[in-house]
Amino acid sequence: MEFYGTIGPACADPETLRQMSDAGMTGIQMNLSHGSLAEHADWLAMIRQAGIRELLIDLQGPELRTGVLAEPLTLYIGDSFRLGSGGVSCPDALTQAAGPGQKLLLDDGRILVQVDAVREETLFCTVLRGGVLRSRKSIAAPGLSIDSPTLTAEDLENLRAAPECGVTGVMLPFVRGAGDLCALRRALRETGGERIRIFAKIENLAGVNALPEFLPLADQIVIARGDLGNAMPLWELPACQKKLAAACRAAHVPFMVVTQLLDSMCERAVPTRAEVLDIYNAVLDGASSLMLTGETAAGHYPAQAMEYLVRTARTAL
């Protein structure tokens, strides 16, 4: 079984990375929505220094994110909030597609806003659920169809650098069908990355419905519960995860479970009972990989979180 962490400010030093490896981590993810491979030469050097051999990169793909903020923005219920020109920046495709009444989930659903009006490429919104918004956070628009390319210009640049940087796997967000994976496979061939594995992330209903179509094209399926949980009422997510896991088992395609496995350990040294049960059940369902994201990238206890992940999962094997 494979265990992945995510590199970020909390673990970006050789000693912490070594502690995570000693705890059983087999590989690490680098989220390229926050900077390119070229911009993270220091992190790549640390990863090599720590002896970590598996490196996954998470592309931008057709994902929607807010832009860079000068400082965190605290939003309260009832506040006016603008996305687009004159406000917090976001992809043009969103401002062109969204209309009044559209609800938008920010930062994996922690913040909820509703569009009241659209003027001059700006979404004028009201905050329905508040929180602290930081740079480059996810945006989900339930029920809205947005025309976005499979790979951005930045993605193609990172794919060209991937073989030289030691990348062993590429994670493609918001896979919508076989065409997305074919486009990624073609780009990898053109950049000398034929041997790099493809991890297809299921993060919306289009991906759920198209899974049988692209299962044979992926090296591994990723059940990415953050945005997937925004695409449906949250109480429906457990059944959806079980359905996806069963489909992968039936097709003999490995799958990964990711997002909030140990979310409480961003702040606490010990996980909740529900979290360790979640990990145990994911392994019983047949997961071949588990990944921590914010727990290691930005949490206070990255090495301890990895130890809890590995030790809990191994009790289910």
Side-chain angles (χ1 to χ4, degrees):
M1 186 165 192
E2 295 177 314
F3 302 100
Y4 291 92
T6 300
I7 193 166
C11 67
D13 69 82
E15 180 56 31
T16 302
L17 290 173
R18 275 193 291 268
Q19 290 175 3
M20 291 163 63
S21 292
D22 290 345
M25 184 178 73
T26 51
I28 200 156
Q29 175 206 210
M30 186 180 294
N31 189 334
L32 299 184
S33 292
H34 303 289
S36 67
L37 280 169
E39 293 171 324
H40 287 309
D42 55 340
W43 286 6
L44 291 169
M46 288 180 198
I47 290 168
R48 287 191 293 268
Q49 185 179 348
I52 300 168
R53 296 179 181 177
E54 294 292 323
L55 171 60
L56 307 186
I57 55 173
D58 192 1
L59 301 179
Q60 295 180 28
E63 183 178 36
L64 300 174
R65 284 185 177 269
T66 60
V68 176
L69 299 175
E71 58 185 19
L73 179 62
T74 301
L75 301 174
Y76 297 97
I77 295 175
D79 280 355
S80 296
F81 175 67
R82 289 184 294 175
L83 274 169
S85 178
V88 175
S89 62
C90 68
D92 293 340
L94 177 62
T95 60
Q96 293 164 6
Q102 176 68 51
K103 291 183 178 179
L104 302 173
L105 293 147
L106 312 180
D107 191 10
D108 284 342
R110 290 180 174 87
I111 298 170
L112 174 64
V113 304
Q114 180 171 292
V115 179
D116 299 321
V118 183
R119 295 192 298 272
E120 299 177 352
E121 300 182 346
T122 302
L123 304 179
F124 292 82
C125 308
T126 298
V127 177
L128 303 182
R129 181 168 60 241
V132 178
L133 181 64
R134 294 178 170 82
S135 295
R136 302 292 298 159
K137 292 303 180 181
S138 64
I139 306 173
L144 186 63
S145 177
I146 299 175
D147 185 19
S148 301
T150 300
L151 300 170
T152 66
E154 292 84 359
D155 288 335
L156 294 172
E157 178 184 341
N158 284 313
L159 290 175
R160 284 190 286 270
E164 182 180 343
C165 292
V167 172
T168 59
V170 174
M171 304 181 77
L172 182 62
F174 289 92
V175 173
R176 299 161 293 190
D180 286 338
L181 296 190
C182 290
L184 176 55
R185 186 73 71 184
R186 184 165 55 250
L188 285 171
R189 285 198 301 266
E190 292 171 355
T191 57
E194 297 90 344
R195 301 179 66 180
I196 294 176
R197 291 190 293 167
I198 289 180
F199 291 70
K201 296 177 72 176
I202 301 182
E203 301 186 273
N204 54 23
L205 294 179
V208 172
N209 295 330
L211 179 63
E213 169 191 328
F214 63 78
L215 257 175
L217 303 176
D219 295 296
Q220 195 159 151
I221 298 297
V222 181
I223 304 175
R225 305 180 302 181
D227 282 293
L228 188 57
N230 291 332
M232 63 189 71
L234 201 53
W235 51 84
E236 294 180 6
L237 180 61
C240 184
Q241 176 175 323
K242 296 286 186 180
K243 172 186 172 183
L244 296 172
C248 291
R249 288 197 308 272
H252 304 290
V253 175
F255 69 93
M256 172 190 289
V257 176
V258 62
T259 313
Q260 294 186 337
L261 286 167
L262 292 169
D263 190 58
S264 72
M265 291 195 73
C266 289
E267 302 293 338
R268 300 172 64 246
V270 177
T272 68
R273 274 62 174 167
E275 287 169 333
V276 292
L277 284 167
D278 180 32
I279 293 168
Y280 190 91
N281 282 322
V283 178
L284 290 186
D285 286 344
S288 59
S289 304
L290 299 172
M291 177 183 286
L292 299 180
T293 52
E295 298 95 333
T296 59
H300 294 304
Y301 305 96
Q304 293 93 325
M306 184 57 63
E307 182 177 11
Y308 270 104
L309 177 75
V310 174
R311 284 179 176 266
T312 304
R314 285 178 175 168
T315 64
L317 294 173

